[in-house]
Amino acid sequence: PTPTLVQRRSLDAILTGKDVVIQAQTGSGKTLSFLLPLLAKIDASRSSVQGMIVVPTRELGLQVSRVARRLAAASSVDNEAGGKIMVMPVLQGSANRRQRAWAWAEPPHVVIGTPDELTKMVSKGGIRYNAVKFVVVDEVDACLLNNGGTYGGGSLSNLSSAGPLHDLLSRYLSPTFEEADVLEEDGTSLISSSASDIAKAQ
């Protein structure tokens, strides 16, 4: 009933569709700051992945999943579109093959996982990402550190080597991504495709 300071400052901006970077202490209410607007934007009548939450560790993923599922369980009570919001964690130790089959046959509305796991699922077609409209990177510095990124001295260096997180955000989730030309030794181009081309091919 009473939003915390970080929630008051971030909810309006997120709900109006702005891109937001939230920085606050642990326990200040950041998780609800991104989960509430994310779930509010989900069309439960549409069977597609619409929200993606990237977390640095399995433990944080399980914690966020528990909160998201509790909120989603109440969503069907007064959801105008009808239906329940489905949340699926894609985390190490889970039955990934079964999850891929389920995500393809009956897509959840929200997926939660580490950069590495989400990138693998997306690249292998286990998650169709063409309807994703809300992406959260929780603890972005830890995501970069745990997944091949370089973080030090308060600034990122060599972002192109940031590994799965960079790949997921730029290659798969960016509508403007243009793949750099890959040249043969004789200088002829092998690859030149955009994210929209990749989406059409799936």
Side-chain angles (χ1 to χ4, degrees), residues 60-186:
L60 181 60
L62 291 172
Q63 180 184 324
V64 172
S65 296
R66 278 194 295 272
V67 177
R69 284 178 161 166
R70 284 179 64 191
L71 292 170
S75 67
S76 59
V77 177
D78 56 356
N79 191 332
E80 291 177 12
K84 184 178 176 184
I85 297 173
M86 302 300 293
V87 176
M88 183 179 85
V90 181
L91 299 161
Q92 218 170 25
S94 307
N96 265 351
R97 186 174 296 175
R98 189 177 64 212
Q99 283 181 324
R100 268 198 301 273
W102 173 37
W104 188 261
E106 190 181 342
H109 299 105
V110 180
V111 289
I112 301 167
T114 64
D116 189 46
E117 288 150 350
L118 286 170
T119 302
K120 283 177 186 171
M121 287 277 283
V122 166
S123 66
K124 292 176 180 176
I127 295 174
R128 285 168 285 190
Y129 55 89
N130 56 317
V132 172
K133 56 187 176 184
F134 206 107
V135 179
V136 174
V137 182
D138 198 3
E139 297 188 10
V140 67
D141 53 343
C143 282
L144 288 168
L145 281 169
N146 292 350
N147 292 278
T150 311
Y151 187 78
S155 64
L156 290 173
S157 59
N158 193 10
L159 189 59
S160 63
S161 69
L165 178 63
H166 183 261
D167 215 29
L168 180 68
L169 297 178
S170 64
R171 181 183 302 270
Y172 298 109
L173 298 175
S174 170
T176 58
F177 175 75
E178 290 287 338
E179 183 133 24
D181 286 351
V182 177
L183 299 177
E184 291 253 35
E185 285 180 16
D186 64 0

Side-chain angles (χ1 to χ4, degrees), residues 41-44 46 48-52 108-110 131-134:
K41 298 277 186 185
I42 297 294
D43 179 357
R46 187 174 179 192
S48 61
V49 176
Q50 299 166 48
M52 191 174 285
H109 299 105
V110 180
V132 172
K133 56 187 176 184
F134 206 107

